[in-house]
Amino acid sequence: MNNRIKEYRARFNLTQDDLAKKVNVRRETIVFLEKNKYNPSLKLAYELAKVFGVTIEELFIFEV
Amino acid sequence: MLYISNFVLELYNIKFIIMKRTLIIFLVAALVLLSTGIWFLKYTQVTSLTDVLQFGIILLVIGFALYVGIIRLRSSRRGEPAEDELSKKVMQRTASVSYYISLYLWVFILFIKDRVILDTEQWLGYGILGMALIFALCWVYFNFRGVRHE
C-alpha cells in the first residue's frame, strides 16, 4: 500500500514532528509511514486523513 | 474552573504513568548492572573467554534496555507519546518471533548438553542470556526494518 502523506505534509507546510503531534504518534512512525515501511491502523489512517481534510482513499493508494 | 483543574490533573497523571514506565526500564537495567558488577568483582580471578562472553552479552542487553528507555524519554520530552501503535506492534512482533527462535535455542541446548560437560546452572544461564540476546536482536531488526504487511 502506497500513500501520499509526504506530498500532503509538504502542501500543508508541516514538519514530521508537527504531524506526529497532531495525530498523537511518535515522529518515527511518520518516517516509517512516508517510507511505506508501515501500514497504519484504520484509526491512524482516519486521523491522518482528517488532518489533511481528505478521504482515506485519497491519502492511501491500495495496490493488489 | 473545576473542569480545568481536573483536566490538568488528568494530563499530569498520564505523563506520570509514562515516566513511571520509563523509570522502571532504567531501574531494572541499573539492578542488572549492579548484580553483574557484584558477580564480576566476586570472581575477578576467573577471566576465561566464556565469562567475558557472558559479561559482554549482559552489557549488550543493558545497553539495549537503556537505548529503549532513552528513546521513550526523548519522545515524551518532545511532547509525543512514549509508546504508539508502531512501537507496540514492533514489540509484539519481537516477542512472538524471539519466542519462536528461543524454542530452537533450547532444543539446541538439549542436544548439546550431553556432548559438552557443564553444570545445569550454567546451561540455564546460557539459555536465559541467549533468549535475552535473541530478543534484543529481533527488536533491533523490526525497529529499523519496520512492520510492513499487517
Side-chain angles (χ1 to χ4, degrees), chain A:
Chain A
M1 191 162 68
N2 292 322
N3 66 66
R4 299 166 67 192
I5 294 171
K6 199 172 182 177
E7 184 191 322
Y8 273 100
R9 190 170 58 76
R11 201 182 288 179
F12 278 74
N13 206 20
L14 288 170
T15 63
Q16 288 177 332
D17 260 331
D18 296 334
L19 185 59
K21 277 171 195 161
K22 275 183 189 285
V23 293
N24 200 32
V25 292
R26 294 175 312 137
R27 192 182 63 83
E28 288 82 358
T29 306
I30 303 295
V31 173
F32 274 96
L33 279 169
E34 287 185 357
K35 283 183 183 171
N36 284 317
K37 282 187 171 184
Y38 174 58
N39 291 339
S41 67
L42 188 59
K43 185 178 171 279
L44 181 56
Y46 181 79
E47 279 173 6
L48 285 164
K50 205 172 146 188
V51 166
F52 298 126
V54 292
T55 59
I56 291 176
E57 288 86 352
E58 279 176 277
L59 196 60
F60 294 93
I61 303 134
F62 182 71
E63 287 169 348
V64 183

Side-chain angles (χ1 to χ4, degrees), chain B:
Chain B
M1 193 69 185
L2 191 69
Y3 175 77
I4 294 167
S5 62
N6 274 346
F7 181 72
V8 171
L9 269 176
E10 205 169 299
L11 277 180
Y12 179 77
N13 277 342
I14 290 166
K15 203 171 179 183
F16 181 71
I17 288 165
I18 291 165
M19 290 300 280
K20 208 166 69 177
R21 277 185 186 175
T22 312
L23 206 71
I24 287 168
I25 292 176
F26 285 120
L27 197 72
V28 170
L31 282 173
V32 173
L33 193 66
L34 188 76
S35 12
T36 312
I38 291 167
W39 165 65
F40 200 69
L41 286 173
K42 199 178 172 188
Y43 300 102
T44 37
Q45 298 91 345
V46 188
T47 49
S48 65
L49 186 70
T50 48
D51 284 339
V52 174
L53 190 76
Q54 281 179 344
F55 195 67
I57 293 172
I58 291 169
L59 284 182
L60 198 76
V61 172
I62 292 167
F64 163 73
L66 289 176
Y67 178 68
V68 173
I70 289 166
I71 284 178
R72 284 182 175 203
L73 261 183
R74 208 191 297 159
S75 293
S76 57
R77 271 187 191 166
R78 277 200 304 241
E80 296 165 5
E83 266 188 327
D84 65 354
E85 61 173 58
L86 177 62
S87 64
K88 279 178 191 164
K89 204 162 266 186
V90 164
M91 211 44 115
Q92 278 175 0
R93 180 59 83 86
T94 302
S96 65
V97 172
S98 63
Y99 171 74
Y100 191 70
I101 298 170
S102 296
L103 289 178
Y104 284 100
L105 172 76
W106 284 108
V107 170
F108 178 71
I109 287 175
L110 282 176
F111 168 76
I112 210 168
K113 86 172 172 61
D114 295 331
R115 288 155 185 85
V116 180
I117 300 155
L118 278 176
D119 293 337
T120 313
E121 291 83 10
Q122 277 179 303
W123 279 122
L124 284 172
Y126 281 127
I128 291 164
L129 276 181
M131 284 176 79
L133 190 67
I134 289 166
F135 185 86
L137 290 176
C138 284
W139 185 86
V140 168
Y141 178 73
F142 288 117
N143 192 51
F144 291 105
R145 182 184 161 268
V147 186
R148 201 178 294 186
H149 298 293
E150 289 204 19

